[in-house]
Structure formats: C-alpha cells, structure tokens
Amino acid sequence: MKLNYPRTFTVGLAFFSICAFWQLYDHVVPLMLKFTFGINDAVAGGVMAIDNVLALFMLPLFGTLSDKTRTRWGRRMPYIVLGGFASCAAMMLIPVANRYASLPLFVAGLGLTLLLMATYRSPAVALMPDVTVKPLRSMANAVINLMGAVGGMIILVLTPVMLPSEPGEGSGGLEVYSPDYVPLFLLCMGIMVVATLVLILRVNEPKLVAQMHKDAKTWGVEEDAPDTPKNTERVPLPPEVRRSMMFLLASVALWFMGYNAVTTSFSKYCAVRFGIGAGGSARVLLVATVAAVVSYLPVGALAQRIGRKKVILGGVGMLGVAFAAGGFFPDFTPLLYPLFVMAGMAWAAININSYPMVVEMSRGADVGRFTGYYYTASMAAQTLTPILSGAALEYINYWTLFPYGALFVGLSFITMLFVRHGDSRPEPPANKLEAFEEMDG
C-alpha cells in the first residue's frame, strides 16, 4: 500500500495557494492596521478575527454544499476554481487601499476577499481524503501541509526582499511603517493563479475518486461510496466516538488559540519589543516554516508507525516548551531561531495528524461536513484569540504574547489525552514481497 506522491502533490496545490495568501494576510494586515490606519491593538485583534467569524459559518456550509454537489468536474473542483480566481481579483483591493490610506476601500476589499476565500477552503481540504484511502491520509496530509508550508515560505522569503526591515523614524522607530504592498500582493496573486491553472489541467476529480475506491477494494480497505443511497442519510456517531470527536475538536481549538495568537501578532511584537519591521520578523517565521517543511514527511511516516495521537501529544509538548521559553527574551536574540525551529517541527506533528483523525470518524459522503467541523473548531479559536491576545497586548504588556500561547497549548495536551478514536494505522503488509515493495517505493 503506497501513496501516489505525484497525484497528492498536485492536489496539494489548492492548499499551497490558500496558505500563500494567509501567510501574506497574517503578516502584513496587522501592520497596515497599526501604521497606516492607526488602529489600536485590541481593535486590530477584532479586525483580524473577522475572517474567522465568517469561517465559523461558511466553512461548514460550503463543506456540506460540496458534499452534495454533483458536476462533471466533481464535487470540490468547481468551488476551488471559481473561489480561487475570484479571491485573486478581490485581494488586490487591500494593498491599493493601504497605498491611498482609504479605510472604506480597505474594509470593502478585506471583507470581499475573506468571503471569497471562505467559499473554497473546505472543498480544497476535503479533496485530499476524497482521493486517498484512509490508512494513507496522515502521510497524504503531510504532503498537503508541506505544499501549504512551501506556499507560505515563498511569501516569507520574498517579504524581506520586497519590504524594508526597519519600522521607520520616530520615537523608538515605531511611528511610521507603511511601505507599498502592491508588488507583494501581485506576486501572491500570480502564485495563486498559476496553482489554480495547474489544478484545472492536471486534476480530474471524478477519475481520481474512482481510482481511490478501486485501490481501497484491491487493498481490502473499507471505504464508503459517496453516491450510494445509504450514504445520503446522516447517521449519528456512536456515543463513544462522539465523545472522542468533542475532545479532539476542543484540542484543535485550544492549540489554535495558542499558536494563532503568536503567529498573528508576531510582526507587531517584533516591531514594538525588538524594533524590527516586517522583513526582520519574516526571517524568524521563515525558520519555523522551513523546520515544518523538513518535518512533514518524516512526521507522517512516524504517525504510520506509532499512531497519530502519540505524535500529536509529542508535538503539543514541544510547542508548549518553545512558547514558554520565548517569553524570557525581552530583546531580540539569535536564541529565538532554535525555538522557532522547535515550534515549526511541533506544529508539523500536530497539524498533519489532527485533520485525518477527524475525517477518520466520518463516512465518504460526510467528508466535507466533518472538514467543516474541524475548521469550525479551529476558526472559533482564531476568532477569539486575536481579541483576547490583542487586549492583553494593549492593556497589559507585549510580554504576555508567548505565555498566552504556552497556556492554551498546555491545555490542549490535557484534552487530547481523552481522545480514543481516529487513530487508524495501515494494515501490515500481507507478505514479505509487499514489504520490500513498500520500502522500495
């Protein structure tokens, strides 16, 4: 039983383009809010939570809609293609509004872009389990997240090249920092357009879904056929599985509370505490992204050997330690780099295994809906945490950022201990010949 890597990398282009945009959004929009429009940190945290508020409703909605969609192009691809191209057009309003300091245009452009991005995220993520048999989904999700990390890494690599590192002149060097973001957004838009075009040319969704079911039958893996009458009815989860699902979704929410607080506010944190701008903070985050990229495939292989839950718990522990240690540095120090290496590796361990655990508890017809549940939990956390962490930054002090992240990551370790389902591992090879084939693949 071997994963089709070329096919999975191609499917991952959808997540690649999504992550390229969100990396850009999370890194530069807080700077626009603070330095161009003069919005304080607490209110800015609320603005940064708008996409997550929309996602709470739209990701489950469009996940479920894509479950029910039947077209000649498949269930997911129409949403990916239309949503991707429309988002590319809308996102350019954001840097144009920043260039002319037009708050109404900024609000309109931001709102439209966030709405359009939410229409295709769940279908894009659900495409992977649609075309991958259950035992291989952790490794496939590693590939998908690797693609997403590369998309974000490209933005982080180019940000220091295209934007100045210093905030500018003034008291503490923090009064003015408003470079022209249009070229960087144009670059991101180009990345998204190319990725979507390759998906159109290379992904035949109905054919890939049919091949997945054929492979599952060949390997003796039970998979639900989404178009059978049995799978059109919503069947409630057994009580013990529902309990595991609730604890797993709680864990997802908690570790996103911690992780998103740090990553969303890190550019402002670096500007205020360390006196460095977007280019400098991007280099630190790039280290974490590179560490995650290097870790995705080994961590996926490790999960196949020892199980998803153990790998997640190890990652949560590493992330909590990295964030706790980060709070001890009042000034910029090279020691931040190894801490962010640890954080990147930890996030890889958590991220590639949690989503497969959720959809492991679903049926073929419900993958989009369960994908929506996963994103409801993560987006609910990402709705609340910018507001809470932003208020802590504004009304207490900027030193609270890393302890805040460590606290919620630590709580997720506790809830994860109560998860008992979704930890599927592949069947052992039927004979020695198959074992050699897997090693050779």
Side-chain angles (χ1 to χ4, degrees):
M1 185 184 298
K2 297 184 292 185
L3 181 67
N4 186 321
Y5 283 96
R7 180 180 69 193
T8 309
F9 274 109
T10 304
V11 169
L13 285 170
F15 199 56
F16 169 89
S17 66
I18 289 170
C19 289
F21 170 78
W22 287 117
Q23 182 63 70
L24 178 63
Y25 174 85
D26 284 340
H27 203 70
V28 304
V29 170
L31 295 173
M32 292 178 180
L33 293 171
K34 185 174 186 66
F35 294 107
T36 301
F37 299 108
I39 296 174
N40 70 42
D41 292 319
V43 176
V47 174
M48 293 302 293
I50 291 173
D51 63 309
N52 305 313
V53 174
L54 292 172
L56 282 173
F57 306 100
M58 295 189 68
L59 295 190
L61 170 63
F62 280 92
T64 302
L65 285 175
S66 67
D67 281 339
K68 299 176 180 179
T69 298
R70 299 293 182 271
T71 74
R72 57 181 291 194
W73 301 282
R75 295 192 292 174
R76 319 296 184 187
M77 284 299 293
Y79 295 92
I80 295 170
V81 172
L82 295 176
F85 283 140
S87 298
C88 287
M91 65 184 282
M92 291 309 303
L93 295 174
I94 298 172
V96 171
N98 182 80
R99 174 186 282 181
Y100 296 105
S102 172
L103 186 58
L105 181 60
F106 180 82
V107 171
L110 193 69
L112 181 60
T113 303
L114 297 180
L115 279 170
L116 292 170
M117 289 294 297
T119 63
Y120 78 102
R121 183 164 183 164
S122 286
V125 175
L127 183 59
M128 181 277 287
D130 282 352
V131 301
T132 308
V133 292
K134 287 181 179 180
L136 298 178
R137 285 176 181 171
S138 277
M139 182 57 77
N141 203 40
V143 173
I144 299 299
N145 279 272
L146 174 62
M147 294 293 288
V150 170
M153 186 169 62
I154 290 172
I155 298 300
L156 287 175
V157 167
L158 293 172
T159 297
V161 175
M162 303 182 73
L163 298 178
S165 294
E166 297 302 322
E169 300 300 327
S171 176
L174 300 172
E175 288 186 355
V176 178
Y177 185 74
S178 188
D180 186 2
Y181 295 102
V182 170
L184 192 56
F185 271 77
L186 280 172
L187 181 68
C188 183
M189 182 183 72
I191 291 170
M192 295 171 69
V193 168
V194 170
T196 306
L197 289 174
V198 174
L199 280 166
I200 293 172
L201 295 173
R202 297 294 302 273
V203 173
N204 185 329
E205 183 187 336
K207 181 179 178 180
L208 294 183
V209 172
Q211 182 63 48
M212 184 275 285
H213 286 285
K214 181 180 177 181
D215 291 343
K217 186 176 181 181
T218 300
W219 294 329
V221 177
E222 183 180 353
E223 288 282 356
D224 298 314
D227 290 321
T228 60
K230 179 185 76 171
N231 284 301
T232 61
E233 300 176 4
R234 183 172 297 184
V235 179
L237 294 174
E240 65 278 9
V241 179
R242 186 185 308 114
R243 189 177 306 113
S244 284
M245 176 68 78
M246 292 300 102
F247 277 114
L248 178 56
L249 293 178
S251 302
V252 169
L254 287 167
W255 61 55
F256 268 100
M257 287 280 290
Y259 184 80
N260 186 255
V262 173
T263 56
T264 300
S265 296
F266 189 67
S267 59
K268 291 193 299 183
Y269 183 90
C270 285
V272 173
R273 296 211 83 192
F274 303 150
I276 59 176
S281 55
R283 280 190 285 270
V284 180
L285 292 178
L286 177 61
V287 168
T289 305
V290 171
V293 167
V294 173
S295 302
Y296 279 131
L297 296 183
V299 167
L302 181 63
Q304 287 185 311
R305 290 182 176 273
I306 69 172
R308 296 165 181 159
K309 179 178 175 180
K310 290 180 181 177
V311 175
I312 289 175
L313 287 172
V316 170
M318 286 177 59
L319 187 62
V321 169
F323 283 172
F328 286 98
F329 301 113
D331 301 306
F332 183 82
T333 169
L335 292 176
L336 283 172
Y337 288 105
L339 288 181
F340 273 80
V341 168
M342 184 186 301
M345 295 172 63
W347 191 244
I350 295 166
N351 218 27
I352 70 166
N353 290 297
S354 52
Y355 173 65
M357 288 189 76
V358 171
V359 296
E360 191 77 26
M361 303 181 209
S362 72
R363 298 173 306 132
D366 293 330
V367 167
R369 180 162 63 92
F370 276 69
T371 300
Y373 291 160
Y374 173 84
Y375 279 110
T376 297
S378 65
M379 292 301 175
Q382 292 176 80
T383 299
L384 182 60
T385 202
I387 299 171
L388 291 180
S389 62
L393 298 178
E394 179 73 20
Y395 300 114
I396 302 177
N397 196 284
Y398 267 70
W399 66 261
T400 60
L401 182 63
F402 280 103
Y404 177 99
L407 171 64
F408 283 98
V409 170
L411 292 173
S412 73
F413 187 93
I414 298 172
T415 55
M416 192 65 202
L417 293 173
F418 295 94
V419 177
R420 305 286 187 232
H421 298 81
D423 199 1
S424 176
R425 282 176 280 173
E427 296 294 325
N431 52 53
K432 292 182 179 179
L433 178 60
E434 184 180 338
F436 281 117
E437 287 176 348
E438 290 193 6
M439 291 173 63
D440 189 51

